[in-house]
Every structure is written in structure tokens, then in C-alpha cells.
Amino acid sequence: MIDDPFPTRSAGRKRGGGRKARRGRTAVRAARLRGSVDEYAAWIERRIPCFEVLDAEALELIEHNADTVLEEIGIEFREFPRALRLFRDAGADVDGERVRIPRGMCRSIVQATAPREFTQHARNPKRTTIIGGDRTVLVPAYGPPFVHDLDRGRRYATIEDFRNFIKLTYMSSGLHHSGGTVCEPVDVPVNKRHFDMVYSHIKYTDKPFMGSVTHPERAADTVAMAMLLFGEDFVPRKTVLTSLINVNSPLTFDATMLGAATVYAENNQATIISPFLLAGAMSPVTVAGTLTQILAEALAGMAYIQLVRPGAPVVFGSFSAAVSMQSGAPTFGTPEPSQVLFGVGQLARRLGVPFRSGGGLCAAKIPDAQAAYEAANTLQTAALAGVNFMLHTAGWLEGGLSMGYEKFILDADQANMIAVLLQGIDLSENGQALDALREVGPGSHFLGCAHTRENFETAFYRSTVADNNSFEQWQQDGSLDAARRANGIWKQMLRDYEPPPLDPAIDESLVEFIDRRKSEFEDRDY
Amino acid sequence: MATEPLMLDEDEIVLSELADDELVEQMHEDLYDGLKEEIVEGTSILLGRDWSAEKVLNEALVEGMRIVGIDFRDGILFVPEVLLAANAMKGGMEILRPLLSETGVKPIGKMVIGTVKGDIHDIGKNLVAMMLEGAGFEVFDIGINNSVEDYFEALEKHQPDILGMSALLTTTMPYMKVVIDEMVSQGIRDDYIVMVGGAPLNEEFGRAVGADAYCRDAAQAADTAPRLVRVHRAGGTVGA
Ligand code: B1M
């Protein structure tokens, strides 16, 4: 009693599209092996509502409290007289390095000139992205001094690892942005590292990228290199860099970050002002208290940027985790920071600026079950919270201390799923599938009906890593767990990598610039 | 049931009425609970009963904090509780310190600690300072973003046993070597124990910059520091 796999009932039915076109093995293999998401998607267009946890009254309360913090306690701008001057001129009360800002002032400064969304140009126009609105841009992890893979374990990152992660990101269609410090290349002298890092983002990928922030001069070098790439008159008019400025919470900005932020703002380049909070240590232990602090800090930072250059793109950043009250160690993927994330998304939208948060965060040391579930928690939360710029989407291990090769592959797979999830539900005629229901009717099955034949390739997300086979086949394939399978994938990707072409004249000018700048001062390791 | 106040007869305890061994026991409990006033009182009572400062220090305070340390390590006590305990310990130490130096007893140890230049991460450093205070150390925390000059000034001023440096950035941790090299060239390296820590460091890095010890966390720092001080005072080399 074997069912006919392709019921002939439908064979004679007329459908739009007519006969199936010839493709042949080569074409099918090439298309199928590429992955399930359009290679050139420069962002995800969200078509589902954001998940919201606070009602209007609650939001007003948080906003009121944030203003109370700004007005009564104030924000410290350390060793950076320019910020003090600008705020004083704008009407704030400046006492030493403490800036107390009248109720509502930051909000009106930000709302007056900060763009609701902005375009970040990539050297390949097809990858030029828009940050803000209903879009989500996925970006690899940032900052880890170590890398981890199954073969070599955990070790300090090198410039080769740095290039590898740029290449892997380039080849991951679900990641729209090349990121910044995808790992920290400790084999290059500290004061010259940024040249090699920025150059790698230009050379090995054509996706948009982030600039150096560890010193104002390094930010200036980044801008100079961007000018060589995009043209000297293009850059001050257009945004080609989005860089990460962390607040030294609680309620403090330091000179390093302010210095770098100022350089970028002056050149009309985007900055992400990020209260990076480990609740319990850097902010109150409660969600509402943390939300208040995040809003106050982000408002002050974004207002500063607008005072430096009205209209310079700013992103409301938020990185929220908690510390273990038993050891002080950062924790990830737990429910309270998710609540914070949902709330900040709402606050950012009310303010009317793009919002950065999220990622595949975890405290796990290796790509194990903890890594997977913590990362899945934070990725889904960020996706549902309406994050526009999702830093740390792929690779993050160990609270950001380590960039994992296998973890990267697992996260990139999740990133692709997010794209599908956010697309929402297709309610077109094809989406409604009444044809299919009519055709198949009671009993039988849908595997071979016309509608399925038309849609099967893109109907369901196909994971690049998950194994859905029978136990026996899995065993035959070597009984590999997810991390082991990911291990094979990143190696294959690096073997297959081909660099996007870069104009040799531009390349030469960049190399020349780097050589000249590097020869201007001694190597220094701090 | 939950409405019943937890403390009933504890409130009735009058420290001065306890026998020595009971009092010491009670001080262990009070340290555990982070009760500074009670620790100060208990310390004074024992001194009034002709206990030597050293005996009070070791039997009442250090032993009490040893227990706190164990329960912190085992995840029973939380950071804010240990902070309170360390603060209570500090209260007792303030009374004992002048007496100890009068009688020529060396203090458990002194430490200058700070985050290196260019680096503003300090949560871990603060925890280390807290744990060392809990272990009876006198800790001079010179904050964040410290240059060679800042460290040297603090060494000069406080004459500690240990110089502690913390760094969380790979771009700032090499600065530890700059400080240590300068200590060597000024001929003062061996006068101090140098301890380093911070998440991106490891044992090997600690050795490479010429530190005496790398500690992976605050509990290990509190374990290592007194040991190194003892060895150093006995004239031994403390390096790994
Ligand atoms: C003397 O003897 C000793 C002995 C033991 C010692 C010791 C000394 N010191 C520490 N220990 C040891 O004992 C402690 C207690 O058990 C432990 O201390 P820890 O400090 O390790 O542990 C603490 C209890 C909890 N841990 C922490 O507090 C650090 C957590 C992470 C997430 C972190 C935080 C919180 C912050 N950050 Co920063 N931050 C990260 C960190 C990633 C991580 N997982 O470590 C790291 C270190 N940060 C990084 C970066 C990039 C940055 N951060 C920056 C800023 C900040 C905040 C201000 C937001 C905040 C610090 C707030 C503060 N007051 O300290 C920026 C730099 C600012 C600056 N000038 O320094 C900025 C550059 C980001 C930016 N673009 O703005 C990355 C390092 C990059 C690198 N290449 O090295 C990073 C790994 C995260 C990441 N992936 O981006 C042990 O290490």
C-alpha cells in the first residue's frame, strides 16, 4: 500500500508558468550549495511588529527618571574640556567635569538634528546598507583578544585570524556588515594595529565596516583611509564608517572614547553611543533602573555628537548583561537583560534614532550547549526587539573574550534564520495556498502538488549546520556534533574564498599611506 | 511563617558578656554577616582582655575571613556580602594596625593596586582590592589609567609589599612590562612583589612581562598575596 509519491491527479491541471524549465546538474548544484538567503541582501527588512514590554505610562516614567538623572546627578565628561564647553554653551550646568543637563534638553538636541536612519556606503554599492527604521543589519562579534577553534583550542588572536573572520563574514550572506575589531590581532604593535585592521576590512571584503576607536589619532587614520577608498569629497558628505563608542558607565565618558567619537562626528561618520552595562556592577540590579541609566547615558552621548556636528549620524547603543552576584563575572542569555533589551528598543524608537544591541552573546568557553542556548536567547530577543544594528551576531564566546570559528558558523546559521523570521507571513495568493489545498484535498499529501513544486526551494529555512538525518546516517557520516560539522564548514569556506576585486590604484595608495604613516613613529605596545 | 522576624535572641547578645572563645566564635559570625560595629566592638573587648593585637588579628579576624573566603569561593556568599565582610574586617584592622606596628609585628601586607594607562576597566580590580582587604591587607587603590609615574609615586608614598596591576585590553596590558622594566632600570624591582591580572592575560603573559604572579581571579589573588609576602619577607624569590 505505498502512496504514489507524485499523484497524477494534478498532472493535467493548467498552471501559470507552464512547463518546468531545463537547468541541469551544474546549475542546480551551484544554486543549492550557496545557501538560502540572497547573497546581496544588505539588510533585513522587518515586516513583523517589534515585541514591546512597556506601555506608554511606563516609558514616560523611565524617560522622566532619566531626565532626573541628567539634571540632578549629571554625567561626567573626563579630561575632555571640549565637551564641557559645548554643553555649557548649550545651557547645561557644568561643575568641574560634571555636567548637569536641564530636563528635556538632550532629547530636543537629539531630535532636532540626529537622523532617524542613515545610509552607510560600502565600496560595493550593492552592499551599501541603511541603518535604522524597519531594517536590521547583522554584524559579527567585536573585540575578542582570543580566538578558539576545535583544532587548536584557545589562543591569542593574530592578524591572520582577523583576516580569516573578515573572509568568513564576507562569505556569510546573512551578515550584512564586516564589523570592526572582529578579533584583536595581538601580533601587530598596538599603536599600528589599526592600519592593518582597517586595510583588511577594505581589501578582503566589500561590505561596510567600522573604524578604530582606541585613540583619536587612530580614528583620524581610519577616516584618512576611508577617503583614499571613497574619495576625499565623498567622505565628509557621506557616511562610510560606523564606529563603537562605549560609555564608561556609570554616568561617565572618558577622553579616549570622546576623542575618537569627535573625530568621526566632525567627518560626518556614524558613532554608536553604547552604555555597555553589566547590571549589578555598572548599573542598578533592576531592569527599570538599568533602563533609566541607559537612556540618560545614551542621550548625553548622542547630544554631545549633535553639538559637535549637527546631523552627524548617531546610533542609540545598548549592551546589557548582568554580573553574577556570586563572583562578579558577566553572564549572558539570561532573562533580565532580555527585558532590558526589549525596553531600550522602545525608548530608542520613541526618540527616533537607530538602535544597536544584541548578538549571539554567551559566557560559554567552547561551542557547546551553553553557547548555543545563550546565543539563541540573545539573538532572538534582539531580533524581536527591533534592533537595527546587531553587533556581535556571530562568533562571540566567553563574554567577548574569545572569537570562536565554529561558534561563528553556528551563529551565522542563526542569523540567516532571523532574516526569515522577520520577513513575516506571506499573505499573497501564493502565500494563502488555496490552490494547494484544492489540489490535494482530503487525505493524500502535499509533497508533489504544483504549489509545493513551485515553492519548495525557498519554503523552509535550510540550516547549513543542523543534522536532521536518521541516527544511522548520522553515525555513518562520522557521528559529528554541531561544532564538528561547523569545523568542516569554516575550513571549506576559507578554502573557497575569493577576494572581491579592488582597484589596484586605490590599493596602492592605501599601502603607500600605511607604509608612510607606520614609518612616522616607533612601534609601541601601549 | 515568613512574617516572623528571623532574628530573635541574636539581638540579645551582649558581646562583652561572652567568654573569649564564644566571643571569637561570635566575631566569626559577625564578620560573615558583615557587621562592622560589632567587629570593632569585639576587637576592643578582646584587646581589653589583654589579648595581643596579633592574636586578635589571627584568631578572630583572619580566621573569620578565611571562612568567608571559603563560602565566597563555593558560591554561597555573594559579592555584596563579601564587600560588607571586608569592610567589617577593615574596621577591626584600623584598631589593630597601630598596635601591631608598635609591637613590631609586621602587618599582613600592603598593596598598591591600579589599572594601567589607557585602560578604564576596574570592576575586577575593585573585587581584588576588596578580597585583599578581606584578607587583612592594607590596600591603596590608585584607580584607573595609571602611568609609570603614577605607580612610582604610589610605591614611594605607601611603601607596599605588592604592586598590583590590572588590565582588560590587549592594547593596554603590554604597558605592564613598561612599568616593570622601569622598576628594573631604577633598581627597585626586587623591593616589591609584582602581581598582575585581568581577563585577557594568562600565566604565560605574566611571566613574559616579568611579574611575580598572575592571578586568574580575586579569590586566587587573596590566596596568593599573603603567601608571596611571607616568602618575600623571608628573603626568597617569589617569581613563578
Ligand atoms: C593585581 O592583581 C590582579 C589579580 C587578578 C585580577 C586583577 C589584578 N585584575 C583582574 N583580575 C582578575 O580578578 C577579577 C575578579 O575575579 C577578574 O577581573 P575581570 O575584570 O576579568 O572580571 C570582572 C569581575 C568582570 N569583567 C569585567 O568587568 C569586564 C567585562 C567586559 C565585558 C568589559 C566591560 C565591562 C567594559 N568595557 Co571593555 N569589557 C570587556 C570585558 C569582556 C570580558 N568578558 O572580560 C573587554 C575587555 N573590553 C573590550 C573593549 C574592546 C572595550 N571595552 C571598553 C569599555 C568598557 C566599559 C567601560 C563599557 C566596561 C568597563 C567598566 C568598568 N568600570 O570596568 C572600551 C575601552 C575603554 C578603555 N579606554 O579602556 C572598548 C575599547 C570598547 C569600545 N569600543 O568602546 C574588549 C577587549 C578588547 C581587546 N582587544 O582587548 C573586551 C574583551 C570586550 C569585547 N569583546 O569587546 C580577573 O580578571
Side-chain angles (χ1 to χ4, degrees):
Chain A
M1 265 207 37
I2 296 169
D3 261 304
D4 177 358
F6 299 103
T8 46
R9 244 187 305 171
S10 64
R13 278 276 285 268
K14 255 205 105 45
R15 309 176 283 103
R19 246 177 69 117
K20 195 167 176 288
R22 280 213 171 87
R23 283 194 292 179
R25 177 172 187 236
T26 316
V28 170
R29 280 182 66 87
R32 298 267 160 91
L33 290 174
R34 227 181 11 209
S36 57
V37 173
D38 179 12
E39 261 193 298
Y40 280 113
W43 62 77
I44 298 167
E45 187 82 41
R46 154 192 295 282
R47 296 207 186 82
I48 62 172
C50 298
F51 187 74
E52 310 213 314
V53 292
L54 298 170
D55 60 19
E57 201 181 326
L59 290 165
E60 272 157 33
L61 177 72
I62 305 281
E63 286 168 352
H64 181 85
N65 288 350
D67 263 340
T68 304
V69 169
L70 289 169
E71 187 171 59
E72 186 184 307
I73 308 167
I75 303 274
E76 220 143 272
F77 289 84
R78 296 222 173 120
E79 296 170 16
F80 207 72
R82 178 164 180 187
L84 305 176
R85 215 170 40 243
L86 285 172
F87 271 109
R88 188 182 295 115
D89 293 349
D93 164 38
V94 178
D95 172 15
E97 296 188 320
R98 185 77 65 97
V99 177
R100 292 188 177 79
I101 308 169
R103 199 166 278 284
M105 187 177 118
C106 285
R107 178 169 292 270
S108 46
I109 292 174
V110 170
Q111 287 182 329
T113 53
R116 298 187 79 88
E117 56 183 53
F118 65 92
T119 299
Q120 184 184 352
H121 292 266
R123 75 173 169 92
N124 178 349
K126 283 186 187 159
R127 301 203 191 274
T128 287
T129 191
I130 304 179
I131 295 167
D134 285 335
R135 299 170 202 83
T136 298
V137 172
L138 303 183
V139 193
Y142 185 107
F146 295 99
V147 291
H148 178 276
D149 69 64
L150 290 187
D151 308 301
R152 295 165 68 192
R154 179 189 195 251
R155 59 205 147 81
Y156 281 117
T158 63
I159 189 71
E160 194 193 336
D161 293 306
F162 188 90
R163 290 183 193 129
N164 283 345
F165 280 108
I166 289 182
K167 294 174 183 177
L168 291 172
T169 303
Y170 171 67
M171 296 184 76
S172 303
S173 55
L175 298 173
H176 313 103
H177 199 284
S178 193
T181 310
V182 287
C183 60
E184 184 80 30
V186 302
D187 54 341
V188 184
V190 163
N191 61 340
K192 296 186 179 170
R193 217 171 259 180
H194 61 291
F195 293 114
D196 302 84
M197 294 161 76
V198 172
Y199 179 71
S200 302
H201 278 297
I202 295 174
K203 173 96 175 165
Y204 299 106
T205 185
D206 58 5
K207 295 187 179 183
F209 59 94
M210 304 170 77
S212 173
V213 295
T214 50
H215 196 286
E217 215 168 83
R218 295 173 198 159
D221 283 326
T222 308
V223 172
M225 289 175 73
M227 283 183 175
L228 291 173
L229 177 62
F230 289 95
E232 245 169 65
D233 44 288
F234 189 80
V235 167
R237 286 185 296 112
K238 307 283 186 176
T239 298
V240 300
L241 297 162
T242 299
S243 303
L244 177 65
I245 302 300
N246 277 4
V247 186
N248 183 8
S249 308
L251 307 178
T252 308
F253 284 85
D254 67 283
T256 308
M257 290 294 126
L258 287 170
T262 307
V263 170
Y264 287 121
E266 280 171 339
N267 288 282
N268 196 28
Q269 301 306 304
T271 46
I272 308 169
I273 305 297
S274 285
F276 178 120
L277 298 181
L278 302 181
M282 297 168 70
S283 73
V285 293
T286 57
V287 172
T290 295
L291 281 170
T292 301
Q293 185 180 324
I294 289 175
L295 182 58
E297 292 177 345
L299 274 172
M302 292 188 292
Y304 169 72
I305 297 292
Q306 295 310 306
L307 291 175
V308 171
R309 176 165 173 155
V314 277
V315 178
F316 185 151
S318 163
F319 179 103
S320 156
V323 293
S324 155
M325 278 293 148
Q326 283 149 295
S327 67
T331 61
F332 299 92
T334 49
E336 301 83 1
S338 291
Q339 293 177 326
V340 171
L341 212 168
F342 290 128
V344 193
Q346 291 184 261
L347 292 167
R349 283 189 292 279
R350 266 166 75 95
L351 191 60
V353 287
F355 169 43
R356 166 251 158 158
S357 192
L361 310 179
C362 67
K365 317 298 177 279
I366 55 169
D368 61 0
Q370 182 186 343
Y373 73 72
E374 288 178 342
N377 276 350
T378 49
L379 283 167
Q380 303 257 349
T381 297
L384 296 175
V387 166
N388 299 119
F389 189 88
M390 199 192 294
L391 193 60
H392 306 314
T393 301
W396 174 284
L397 279 174
E398 225 187 297
L401 284 172
S402 186
M403 184 76 168
Y405 278 86
E406 290 80 17
K407 175 73 166 30
F408 181 95
I409 298 299
L410 296 164
D411 290 337
D413 188 30
Q414 302 248 355
N416 288 335
M417 294 196 218
I418 288 175
V420 179
L421 181 70
L422 295 187
Q423 268 164 23
I425 297 171
D426 173 13
L427 291 176
S428 67
E429 203 175 322
N430 182 59
Q432 295 172 51
L434 274 176
D435 267 2
L437 288 159
R438 284 198 191 96
E439 181 184 327
V440 175
S444 191
H445 64 74
F446 289 89
L447 283 170
C449 75
H451 184 265
T452 303
R453 285 209 303 275
E454 296 233 306
N455 290 286
F456 69 93
E457 265 187 290
T458 53
F460 303 121
Y461 179 76
R462 285 185 287 132
S463 168
T464 47
V465 195
D467 180 291
N468 311 305
N469 295 326
S470 68
F471 182 81
E472 290 79 1
Q473 181 169 350
W474 172 76
Q475 220 172 14
Q476 245 177 38
D477 292 343
S479 309
L480 302 178
D481 63 16
R484 279 255 146 248
R485 293 193 295 275
N487 180 271
I489 294 174
W490 68 259
K491 287 177 183 165
Q492 187 59 45
M493 284 169 79
L494 288 181
R495 278 194 293 270
D496 292 346
Y497 168 81
E498 278 174 37
L502 176 64
D503 178 345
I506 289 179
D507 197 354
E508 212 170 287
S509 71
L510 284 163
V511 172
E512 215 167 80
F513 172 83
I514 294 172
D515 288 347
R516 179 169 56 75
R517 285 287 290 134
K518 279 190 173 178
S519 69
E520 282 171 11
F521 47 96
E522 298 277 292
D523 291 5
R524 216 168 14 89
D525 253 332
Y526 53 91
Chain B
M1 310 134 273
T3 52
E4 199 78 2
L6 271 170
M7 281 180 260
L8 296 170
D9 35 2
E10 270 92 340
D11 284 346
E12 319 295 328
I13 292 175
V14 180
L15 292 178
S16 59
E17 288 171 3
L18 298 178
D20 286 6
D21 53 343
E22 282 171 342
L23 177 55
V24 167
E25 196 107 319
Q26 188 57 46
M27 283 175 73
H28 294 168
E29 296 290 315
D30 289 349
L31 269 176
Y32 198 92
D33 291 332
L35 303 174
K36 185 174 183 177
E37 269 172 42
E38 285 72 2
I39 291 300
V40 168
E41 190 189 341
T43 303
S44 304
I45 294 169
L46 287 174
L47 289 171
R49 291 180 191 172
D50 283 340
W51 278 45
S52 73
E54 197 176 4
K55 187 167 150 109
V56 179
L57 172 67
N58 290 327
E59 292 181 22
L61 300 187
V62 173
E63 176 58 17
M65 284 307 289
R66 193 184 66 81
I67 299 164
V68 169
I70 291 171
D71 278 9
F72 179 52
R73 186 199 60 205
D74 292 348
I76 294 164
L77 282 180
F78 288 41
V79 174
E81 295 171 311
V82 178
L83 205 61
L84 277 180
N87 198 38
M89 165 88 178
K90 217 168 141 183
M93 284 305 291
E94 269 156 27
I95 301 172
L96 295 181
R97 207 164 275 131
L99 302 175
L100 288 168
S101 68
E102 262 169 37
T103 49
V105 177
K106 282 247 180 190
I108 295 177
K110 272 202 235 178
M111 180 190 218
V112 161
I113 189 169
T115 302
V116 299
K117 189 169 153 181
D119 203 324
I120 52 141
H121 294 82
D122 65 359
I123 300 170
K125 177 213 67 179
N126 295 345
L127 281 178
V128 172
M130 166 194 94
M131 287 298 285
L132 278 161
E133 278 183 344
F137 269 71
E138 199 175 351
V139 178
F140 302 94
D141 184 343
I142 57 172
I144 56 174
N145 198 13
N146 286 290
S147 63
V148 173
E149 295 74 40
D150 297 335
Y151 282 116
F152 275 53
E153 198 187 308
L155 291 179
E156 179 79 9
K157 185 163 161 209
H158 303 298
Q159 296 295 322
D161 302 276
I162 301 181
L163 169 62
M165 290 188 278
S166 181
L168 264 285
L169 297 170
T170 46
T171 48
T172 58
M173 64 192 204
Y175 194 74
M176 293 175 167
K177 185 161 189 310
V178 177
V179 178
I180 294 174
D181 286 352
E182 190 56 27
M183 291 173 82
V184 172
S185 72
Q186 298 209 8
I188 59 166
R189 172 64 186 88
D190 293 339
D191 300 346
Y192 303 98
I193 299 159
V194 177
M195 240 168 79
V196 296
L201 279 69
N202 59 17
E203 196 80 48
E204 194 190 330
F205 180 85
R207 265 197 302 276
V209 296
D212 296 307
Y214 154 79
C215 294
R216 66 164 185 266
D217 58 27
Q220 199 195 31
D223 235 39
T224 309
R227 198 164 39 77
L228 294 185
V229 170
R230 278 196 300 276
V231 179
H232 195 240
R233 283 183 186 159
T237 35
V238 294

